[in-house]
Amino acid sequence: MQRKKITISDLYQMKASGEKVTMLTAYDYPGAVACERAGVDSVLVGDSLGNVVLGMDSTVPVTMDDMIRHCQAVRRGIANPFLIGDMPFLSYQVSVAEAVRNAGRFMQEAGCDCVKLEGGSEMADTVAAIVRAGIPVCAHIGLTPQSVAMLGGYKVQGKDLAGAQKLIDSAKALEQAGASMIVFECIPSALAAAITKSTTMITIGIGAGPDCDGQVLVYHDILGLTTRKTPKMAKQFINLLPQIEQAVDDYVREVKAGAFPEDQHGFAMDKSVVAKLKI
Ligand code: KIV
């Protein structure tokens, strides 16, 4: 069946009709092609790039140039999914003007459809300014990895009354500011369900239970392509890393043993030409 390019209106339509939105991260062209072929609704080039692709300890060192480069690669691999670029640490916190300019880079240089940024009520003015510039925004509350130092570690957020109320107030402020979508990371399922019911934003959960409008996971987690422990909120659908390691091991052994390459992997030359070679 011919698929069509998914827009923000299509995602709102899916929320209204109760059809779940599928979102997956991707960081490069092959991953993007896999998302396109599988019919993923939305692709997020997450700043988890730092952890799962660039070998960093956190998302904090990821730069705008890193993100733009990887968004461009993903853009080349997808035609239909709604493409979201994740604004990295310090690309939107310093000033509203800088945030709008950097959000614009995702659209102009990488062909994104939307930008994502972390933070609650304190980000409302920034979100409003980006939206005023004509750029759809996906907010992100709960466990926000860029502020892991402030949060005191990678912990579930909003478990007590005060924490939960803060997240509810943040969601309201971000909705008012014009955010179209919001990611809930590691918050109690009941809280995510309650906000989802009461907001116009399309809610996307990761460790936020089944009652969000959609779900997002990290590509490397679902494929078992990571050396880190699979986080509790993720499901590993296949464990590829051992298979990859086995293939690399086989390659090394075959080259060492002279078993690779075989005739079929090479290019023949006519014997009469070989005979005339002056070496
Ligand atoms: O960077 C990322 O991959 C994310 C998702 C986990 C939501 O922010």
Side-chain angles (χ1 to χ4, degrees), residues 25 27 44 46-48 86 116 118 140 183 185 206 216 218:
T25 67
Y27 313 93
L44 167 68
D47 64 352
S48 49
D86 207 2
K116 178 170 90 55
E118 296 181 8
H140 181 162
V183 167
E185 181 164 353
I206 174 162
V216 61
V218 168

Side-chain angles (χ1 to χ4, degrees), residues 20 33 92 118 141 160 185 201 248 278:
K20 294 288 183 190
V33 170
Y92 56 96
E118 296 181 8
I141 61 171
D160 60 11
E185 181 164 353
M201 294 182 290
V248 174
K278 294 193 182 94

